[in-house]
Amino acid sequence: MGRAVRPWRLAPALLALLCVCGSVRAAADTPTWPGLSTLSTSDGGSRVLLRRSGAPTLAVCARAEAMLRLSDNAAATLLRRAGQQAIRRSSDGWEICLRLPAQELTTALWALQTATPRPGEGGHDERSALSALLAPGTPAARPPTLAVVGDFDVDAAARILRELRWPAPTPASKLTGPKAQAWTPPPGVQLVGWKAPARGTAPRAAMEVAATRLARSLSEHHGRSAQADSGPQLVFLRIHTKDSSDALRRALLKELAQLQRIPPRQLAAAVALTESALLQELDDNAGVARSLLDGIDAQGQPRSVLRHLSLVSELSGTAVSSAVGSLALENSAWLPAAGSAGRVKHGAKQP
Amino acid sequence: MSRLIWLGGVLCVACASGVAPRPTAAPRASAVERPRAKSSTSADGPAAPPPAGLSPAQALPGSRSVRLPSGNVAAVIELPGSAMVAIDWRAPFGSADDGPLRGASHWVGSCLSLRTRAAHPLGQALAALGARADVQSEVETLRLRVHAPARHAAAALSLSAQLAQPPSLGELHAARPFAREAAGALLDAPEHTARAALLRELFELPTDRHPYADLLPNAAALTAASVPDVRKRAAALLDPKKAILTIAGGVTAQALGAASDALPQIAGRRSVPSPLPSAAPRVVVVDHPGAAVATALVGCLGPNGADPRSALARAAWQIFEGVAGRSASFRGQRFRFGPQVLAWSVTDTTEAATAWADAWLTPTRPDPDAKATQRSAGTRASKGAWLAARARASDAALFELESAAGVADAYGELLQLGLSPESFDEARRLARDAPTRALEAALATHLAPAGWVVVVAGDSQRIAPVLQHHAPVTVVRPKSDFSVLKRLPRTSAQGL
């Protein structure tokens, strides 16, 4: 009697099964972005405007090869007034992302024309540090791109944007920003990154799902907390561990081998988690703005992240297994935690 | 029979996981001003910056009270267009309520956290939905957050209720090593030990024992605690009748339950020693030998979170942060029954942290009447900078409202503090519209360095000599219950 299977003990498993069925049954709740408009400008770049009704704040995200002139005090004051800002330097230029109250959009657009990261600003970012390791070299020439996302008067913003012109970029040799490679993760955190194709492609979708599963299996089998994340040109893992890099490397190799044949139930969970992470990114104005610029950078299509969402949800186990090869450790860039020996390792071979 | 009914309920919840069609939001009025100045742009940039924008009132999105099938009342905030749902479940108890069972709330939190992992059936069910969950054990809250795609809102809600069930004896036994390990990790991390040391200095030392001291659990306490005692504690902690539940995102209240007139309410009242002795200024270094990164916290006590002066005090700290333009961020913490902690924090390399502390121990005062722009370091701030700082102090809270997760956080905190949703905008209005004299008074009261406690967690060999220029320094060891390692005298005639 004591060994009899009690039906209520099966409830969590039954619930999990129902949830999987539910996720298959339910239509994907993908955003559609009906309020998207794109302006072409004389500098060859794109300005993307997306109106999202009801958003109390705006995000303005701009990317350029070299972001304008240095140390303009008036611009710096305006930017501070505009709201929260994040500036980072990646392997192919600068990105400035502002989050601001809606009424400060005019200020922000004016400020962006003259603003630039000052020496010491930017670069303190895990994505840009890994990107610089994976694709070192001078920035490629590119026209500036800008996205505005939130609840705003699109016509008024378009009028301002047409009138704004960006100064000629500073030659790469004169850039004075910080070296992204100097950034190190905080104690107890190690970062492993891989160069990846653009979002909106099936191989990239498979890499993201495989990285999600890899992070989950590290937590499950090795007691390390890990999260998968991605940037315009890379996917990466943020791993919380006290291990040495060598011990972590062994664990990663073991889990990569397991990933070659991923069971269907685990694949479904990895797909659901990856899709959910994308939706969460698109729940935030700044995340949407960055995704729009990623789409332009990759394929000239700001909506390509939406296609990416559907690609993720349709992935097969075979596609994910084949993506595991792209996550080989010899193709990775590795940033060990601050204070650990050998500050930066770079095992990257350029694909 | 009841189990069959329960299973039937689960089936119904899973089948009803799709949400009703969303109402279309009415478009709002234009939020962007037209450019007032003629935009005479050139390759060198605009001729003149536009005037400062107004900072209109922006209330929290409206909420509806819903009685869930479980009987709990939840505040539901519908955010049409959001593809996510955020569930914020709070038990209004934390380490402040642990009493002699020190570390019990952290231990119970560890149990819940283990349920979210991939090896647990609930963790697997969450992953199948694409949901992520995390558990935080705080001073007066045990908090569970679940973020999931909106189309799985009902299923995620059902799983949240299961996650928050009191743990069994077996689960508590299994979680003890995990809790010990987590406690060890806390004591290794400067950002956690700095916060614990600050709360200890502000609350525990002046009163001998204060619940808000938030003593981090140590291995000895977790080893000594009896599992049955902790289980009783867990049952009280996780009483579903006392939980505060907030749900925000792309869901409709109708899809989740029946309308209710009640709001989630906190029962009971914690006894807090009052009044507290005023804190004397002091500088404490939490020693992490060889640490490459330091965390600095400067803090003092302020009015209770529900006190109308509370918002003004927080605004004063945020405004000063904005005027000074330094790389610090406001990290205040409000408590429901006790005084709030006003604090700035910075986490950077040891050199930056010490330089920061050096600069902040001789602060400047903003001068709202200054006419000229004085930009050199250490001089009074300009009127423009002062106004910009006021606007930022007012608008900073808005950034929390961008996502479903941020709205659930903001609402959950207000409910926890016993504040109305209207108080969200009231606090913003105070920062924006309060008379200059009122803000000046708040600055004088709450920004006086004579009331500050400075805590820097990092390598004491590198940090202490810099801080000794300003004040006597006490070095404490986090792993020995923050006992004093050494006391160092001031080395300069000036300072605190």
Side-chain angles (χ1 to χ4, degrees):
Chain A
M1 188 65 189
R3 285 177 164 277
V5 177
R6 295 180 172 90
W8 59 91
R9 289 193 186 281
L10 298 174
L14 182 60
L15 184 59
L17 182 66
L18 286 168
C19 291
V20 172
C21 296
S23 68
V24 172
R25 178 184 53 80
D29 213 355
T30 307
T32 51
W33 295 343
L36 185 73
S37 55
T38 305
L39 306 173
S40 292
T41 53
S42 57
D43 57 18
S46 295
R47 315 286 187 263
V48 189
L49 306 172
L50 175 61
R51 183 156 187 269
R52 298 175 92 201
S53 294
T57 54
L58 304 176
V60 179
C61 201
R63 288 179 187 167
E65 176 186 340
M67 205 164 270
L68 320 182
R69 296 160 315 182
L70 293 176
S71 303
D72 185 305
N73 276 335
T77 303
L78 284 173
L79 284 177
R80 272 206 296 276
R81 196 177 90 192
Q84 295 181 347
Q85 55 176 296
I87 303 170
R88 60 186 181 192
R89 183 183 175 184
S90 66
S91 57
D92 61 350
W94 288 96
E95 177 188 283
I96 183 164
C97 203
L98 302 173
R99 297 170 69 184
L100 56 145
Q103 78 278 358
E104 291 286 11
L105 176 59
T106 314
T107 304
L109 294 179
W110 281 76
L112 273 176
Q113 185 173 11
T114 52
T116 187
R118 288 166 293 175
E121 282 187 328
H124 298 279
D125 178 280
E126 55 202 28
R127 296 181 193 189
S128 54
L130 280 170
S131 292
L133 284 177
L134 288 162
T138 52
R142 51 185 280 173
T145 53
L146 180 142
V148 184
V149 178
D151 193 349
F152 61 100
D153 183 334
V154 173
D155 292 338
R159 211 160 33 242
I160 302 166
L161 283 169
R162 282 198 191 93
E163 291 171 356
L164 291 182
R165 280 191 294 152
W166 298 55
T170 309
S173 59
K174 293 188 179 177
L175 289 178
T176 55
K179 291 180 179 174
Q181 292 93 322
W183 185 86
T184 49
V189 177
Q190 303 204 33
L191 297 169
V192 187
W194 294 268
K195 194 165 171 58
R199 275 191 165 169
T201 60
R204 168 61 175 262
M207 273 182 85
E208 287 184 6
V209 171
T212 300
R213 175 59 206 161
L214 189 55
R216 196 162 168 78
S217 49
L218 278 172
S219 305
E220 189 174 354
H221 299 133
H222 300 273
R224 299 169 179 89
S225 169
Q227 297 96 42
D229 206 340
S230 61
Q233 305 175 53
L234 80 160
V235 296
F236 65 98
L237 296 179
R238 187 188 301 107
I239 304 161
H240 299 258
T241 178
K242 287 182 183 174
D243 284 349
S244 67
S245 296
D246 284 342
L248 186 56
R249 191 183 181 87
R250 284 194 294 276
L252 272 169
L253 282 170
K254 189 175 172 188
E255 291 307 321
L256 279 168
Q258 297 287 329
L259 265 182
Q260 294 288 350
R261 294 174 72 182
I262 183 168
R265 191 170 58 83
Q266 293 179 5
L267 173 70
V271 165
L273 286 169
T274 309
E275 191 188 4
S276 166
L278 276 165
L279 287 174
Q280 187 144 19
E281 194 178 317
L282 300 181
D283 207 32
D284 174 272
N285 287 338
V288 172
R290 285 201 176 102
S291 297
L292 291 170
L293 295 187
D294 285 354
I296 292 172
D297 286 352
Q299 300 169 340
Q301 294 295 326
R303 287 182 202 267
S304 65
V305 71
L306 301 183
R307 174 171 153 69
H308 192 69
L309 258 173
S310 61
L311 283 171
V312 165
S313 60
E314 292 162 5
L315 275 176
S316 67
T318 314
V320 176
S321 298
S322 64
V324 174
S326 309
L327 299 179
L329 287 188
E330 57 267 28
N331 293 336
S332 69
W334 198 307
L335 288 175
S340 55
R343 287 171 63 81
V344 175
K345 285 182 184 174
H346 184 197
K349 288 178 186 172
Q350 297 308 312
Chain B
M1 185 63 187
S2 61
R3 283 163 185 147
L4 286 174
I5 292 170
W6 184 81
L7 270 175
V10 167
L11 280 165
C12 291
V13 164
C15 294
S17 59
V19 295
R22 299 176 193 164
T24 307
R28 293 203 325 220
S30 164
V32 180
E33 298 174 59
R34 291 186 173 203
R36 296 177 194 172
K38 187 177 178 182
S39 48
S40 55
T41 56
S42 70
D44 294 331
L54 298 173
S55 191
Q58 173 72 54
L60 275 175
S63 72
R64 295 182 190 183
S65 288
V66 170
R67 188 168 295 281
L68 302 172
S70 62
N72 281 66
V73 174
V76 179
I77 303 103
E78 299 176 3
L79 303 173
S82 174
M84 295 296 291
V85 64
I87 298 166
D88 184 295
W89 185 98
R90 293 170 186 240
F93 305 99
S95 60
D97 305 283
D98 281 350
L101 268 181
R102 183 176 159 186
S105 55
H106 287 273
W107 189 346
V108 175
S110 295
C111 276
L112 304 196
S113 192
L114 280 174
R115 291 174 177 170
T116 68
R117 295 205 160 190
H120 195 280
L122 286 174
Q124 290 162 13
L126 284 166
L129 298 177
R132 290 164 200 266
D134 73 274
V135 179
Q136 290 177 351
S137 177
E138 298 169 355
V139 174
E140 54 178 22
T141 319
L142 185 62
R143 191 172 171 206
L144 167 69
R145 290 185 296 186
V146 177
H147 299 156
R151 64 180 185 272
H152 296 315
L157 193 55
S158 166
L159 289 173
S160 304
Q162 293 180 56
L163 281 172
Q165 290 295 313
S168 65
L169 285 173
E171 280 184 299
L172 281 167
H173 275 295
R176 191 184 331 229
F178 181 69
R180 276 200 211 108
E181 191 183 328
L186 290 178
L187 291 171
D188 278 337
E191 68 270 24
H192 289 294
T193 58
R195 181 176 166 281
L198 180 67
L199 294 179
R200 182 174 177 272
E201 294 288 331
L202 290 173
F203 288 115
E204 188 193 12
L205 296 184
T207 60
D208 199 27
R209 173 75 184 98
H210 191 285
Y212 285 178
D214 191 25
L215 298 172
L216 294 173
N218 57 29
L222 290 167
T223 304
S226 133
V227 173
D229 286 349
V230 175
R231 191 185 183 203
K232 281 183 200 159
R233 183 89 201 89
L237 273 172
L238 300 173
D239 182 349
K241 290 177 189 158
K242 293 178 181 168
I244 305 166
L245 192 55
T246 311
I247 303 163
V251 293
T252 61
Q254 268 183 327
L256 297 174
S260 168
D261 292 333
L263 267 176
Q265 292 284 345
I266 297 180
R269 183 176 179 83
R270 183 172 298 117
S271 168
V272 175
S274 179
L276 286 168
S278 59
R282 53 196 174 274
V283 177
V284 177
V285 172
V286 183
D287 193 25
H288 290 269
V293 176
T295 292
L297 275 173
V298 176
C300 68
L301 292 178
N304 170 260
D307 187 319
R309 294 169 301 161
S310 155
L312 209 55
R314 294 169 74 82
W317 274 64
Q318 286 174 299
I319 284 170
F320 189 43
E321 169 202 327
V323 169
R326 298 186 191 277
S327 61
S329 57
F330 181 69
R331 285 282 182 271
Q333 184 169 12
R334 287 186 285 185
F335 296 112
R336 174 143 190 174
F337 301 117
Q340 67 175 321
V341 175
L342 301 163
W344 285 302
S345 81
V346 62
T347 300
D348 211 323
T349 62
T350 302
E351 290 77 10
T354 50
W356 177 83
D358 184 24
W360 278 86
L361 281 165
T362 52
T364 58
R365 288 274 308 280
D367 180 357
D369 297 323
K371 298 276 189 273
T373 300
Q374 302 172 43
R375 296 193 179 283
S376 60
T379 61
R380 293 187 304 179
S382 69
K383 189 174 182 180
W386 167 259
L387 289 173
R390 276 179 93 138
R392 288 196 63 184
S394 164
D395 294 333
L398 283 183
F399 298 118
E400 294 176 23
L401 305 187
E402 269 197 11
S403 62
V407 171
D409 281 356
Y411 244 103
E413 191 193 10
L414 289 176
L415 292 171
Q416 162 99 34
L417 291 169
L419 298 173
S420 69
E422 290 73 32
S423 64
F424 176 83
D425 198 51
E426 179 63 15
R428 292 188 56 235
R429 192 188 61 74
L430 270 173
R432 194 181 60 225
D433 301 336
T436 302
R437 270 181 304 177
L439 276 171
E440 279 281 279
L443 287 166
T445 306
H446 300 296
L447 283 160
W452 288 358
V453 173
V454 179
V455 175
V456 185
D459 188 344
S460 66
Q461 297 286 337
R462 300 168 73 183
I463 295 166
V466 178
L467 296 174
Q468 273 184 276
H469 285 298
H470 304 281
V473 172
T474 304
V475 181
V476 299
R477 285 181 293 200
K479 291 193 176 173
S480 302
D481 228 2
F482 293 89
S483 61
V484 175
L485 181 64
K486 55 189 170 187
R487 295 182 198 277
L488 304 169
R490 189 174 69 201
T491 54
S492 163
Q494 295 180 335
L496 294 175

